[in-house]
mmCIF file of all heavy atoms in Angstrom:
data_model
loop_
_atom_site.group_PDB
_atom_site.id
_atom_site.type_symbol
_atom_site.label_atom_id
_atom_site.label_comp_id
_atom_site.label_asym_id
_atom_site.label_seq_id
_atom_site.Cartn_x
_atom_site.Cartn_y
_atom_site.Cartn_z
ATOM 1 N N THR A 204 107.654 1.353 159.338
ATOM 2 C CA THR A 204 107.733 2.565 158.687
ATOM 3 C C THR A 204 108.930 3.388 159.419
ATOM 4 O O THR A 204 109.205 4.582 158.928
ATOM 5 C CB THR A 204 106.476 3.521 158.752
ATOM 6 O OG1 THR A 204 106.144 3.513 160.230
ATOM 7 C CG2 THR A 204 105.355 2.908 158.010
ATOM 8 N N LYS A 205 109.413 2.917 160.504
ATOM 9 C CA LYS A 205 110.407 3.667 161.219
ATOM 10 C C LYS A 205 111.825 3.352 160.529
ATOM 11 O O LYS A 205 111.932 2.443 159.796
ATOM 12 C CB LYS A 205 110.503 3.180 162.698
ATOM 13 C CG LYS A 205 109.198 3.516 163.475
ATOM 14 C CD LYS A 205 109.034 4.850 163.648
ATOM 15 C CE LYS A 205 107.818 5.198 164.546
ATOM 16 N NZ LYS A 205 106.535 5.229 163.885
ATOM 17 N N ILE A 206 112.737 4.142 160.983
ATOM 18 C CA ILE A 206 114.108 3.995 160.165
ATOM 19 C C ILE A 206 114.596 2.635 160.538
ATOM 20 O O ILE A 206 115.319 1.957 159.701
ATOM 21 C CB ILE A 206 115.079 5.168 160.570
ATOM 22 C CG1 ILE A 206 116.357 4.929 159.789
ATOM 23 C CG2 ILE A 206 115.461 5.235 162.080
ATOM 24 C CD1 ILE A 206 117.163 6.260 159.605
ATOM 25 N N PHE A 207 114.499 2.112 161.696
ATOM 26 C CA PHE A 207 114.876 0.807 162.165
ATOM 27 C C PHE A 207 113.580 -0.042 162.394
ATOM 28 O O PHE A 207 112.820 0.485 163.173
ATOM 29 C CB PHE A 207 115.779 0.923 163.400
ATOM 30 C CG PHE A 207 116.123 -0.512 163.868
ATOM 31 C CD1 PHE A 207 117.221 -1.168 163.401
ATOM 32 C CD2 PHE A 207 115.346 -1.110 164.788
ATOM 33 C CE1 PHE A 207 117.604 -2.438 163.904
ATOM 34 C CE2 PHE A 207 115.761 -2.467 165.277
ATOM 35 C CZ PHE A 207 116.844 -3.045 164.679
ATOM 36 N N ASN A 208 113.479 -1.300 161.800
ATOM 37 C CA ASN A 208 112.293 -1.947 161.918
ATOM 38 C C ASN A 208 112.506 -3.433 162.223
ATOM 39 O O ASN A 208 113.633 -4.025 161.868
ATOM 40 C CB ASN A 208 111.335 -1.758 160.760
ATOM 41 C CG ASN A 208 111.744 -2.858 159.639
ATOM 42 O OD1 ASN A 208 111.108 -3.876 159.673
ATOM 43 N ND2 ASN A 208 112.552 -2.373 158.688
ATOM 44 N N THR A 209 111.582 -3.955 163.010
ATOM 45 C CA THR A 209 111.505 -5.470 163.140
ATOM 46 C C THR A 209 110.248 -5.959 162.665
ATOM 47 O O THR A 209 109.451 -6.889 163.192
ATOM 48 C CB THR A 209 111.755 -5.853 164.620
ATOM 49 O OG1 THR A 209 110.642 -5.212 165.360
ATOM 50 C CG2 THR A 209 113.111 -5.446 165.242
ATOM 51 N N ILE A 210 109.727 -5.319 161.614
ATOM 52 C CA ILE A 210 108.331 -5.482 160.964
ATOM 53 C C ILE A 210 107.338 -4.744 161.973
ATOM 54 O O ILE A 210 106.942 -3.692 161.552
ATOM 55 C CB ILE A 210 107.965 -6.973 160.751
ATOM 56 C CG1 ILE A 210 109.038 -7.629 159.952
ATOM 57 C CG2 ILE A 210 106.628 -7.014 160.022
ATOM 58 C CD1 ILE A 210 108.847 -9.175 159.867
ATOM 59 N N GLU A 211 106.932 -5.304 163.069
ATOM 60 C CA GLU A 211 106.381 -4.609 164.154
ATOM 61 C C GLU A 211 107.410 -4.934 165.249
ATOM 62 O O GLU A 211 108.006 -5.920 165.453
ATOM 63 C CB GLU A 211 105.018 -5.211 164.587
ATOM 64 C CG GLU A 211 103.892 -5.052 163.479
ATOM 65 C CD GLU A 211 102.978 -3.888 163.912
ATOM 66 O OE1 GLU A 211 103.293 -3.017 164.633
ATOM 67 O OE2 GLU A 211 101.977 -3.637 163.028
ATOM 68 N N GLY A 212 107.384 -3.991 166.255
ATOM 69 C CA GLY A 212 108.208 -4.258 167.410
ATOM 70 C C GLY A 212 108.626 -2.944 168.212
ATOM 71 O O GLY A 212 108.189 -1.894 167.751
ATOM 72 N N GLY A 213 109.129 -3.089 169.284
ATOM 73 C CA GLY A 213 109.608 -2.001 169.965
ATOM 74 C C GLY A 213 110.508 -2.359 171.260
ATOM 75 O O GLY A 213 110.755 -3.601 171.355
ATOM 76 N N ALA A 214 110.868 -1.379 171.934
ATOM 77 C CA ALA A 214 111.719 -1.613 173.060
ATOM 78 C C ALA A 214 111.528 -0.541 174.167
ATOM 79 O O ALA A 214 111.101 0.566 173.825
ATOM 80 C CB ALA A 214 113.193 -1.577 172.684
ATOM 81 N N LEU A 215 111.740 -0.923 175.465
ATOM 82 C CA LEU A 215 111.630 0.014 176.487
ATOM 83 C C LEU A 215 113.052 0.045 177.108
ATOM 84 O O LEU A 215 113.693 -1.024 177.375
ATOM 85 C CB LEU A 215 110.683 -0.433 177.518
ATOM 86 C CG LEU A 215 110.306 0.323 178.821
ATOM 87 C CD1 LEU A 215 108.932 -0.006 179.320
ATOM 88 C CD2 LEU A 215 111.330 -0.069 179.831
ATOM 89 N N THR A 216 113.604 1.207 177.268
ATOM 90 C CA THR A 216 114.920 1.326 177.944
ATOM 91 C C THR A 216 114.925 2.229 179.266
ATOM 92 O O THR A 216 113.982 2.967 179.417
ATOM 93 C CB THR A 216 115.934 2.049 177.011
ATOM 94 O OG1 THR A 216 115.521 3.340 176.785
ATOM 95 C CG2 THR A 216 116.051 1.283 175.685
ATOM 96 N N CYS A 217 115.805 1.923 180.103
ATOM 97 C CA CYS A 217 115.834 2.608 181.443
ATOM 98 C C CYS A 217 117.207 2.368 182.133
ATOM 99 O O CYS A 217 118.011 1.618 181.586
ATOM 100 C CB CYS A 217 114.705 2.083 182.375
ATOM 101 S SG CYS A 217 114.747 0.477 182.706
#
Side-chain angles (χ1 to χ4, degrees):
T204 54
K205 298 290 186 285
I206 187 157
F207 176 87
N208 85 91
T209 57
I210 307 171
E211 292 265 6
L215 178 156
T216 62
C217 58

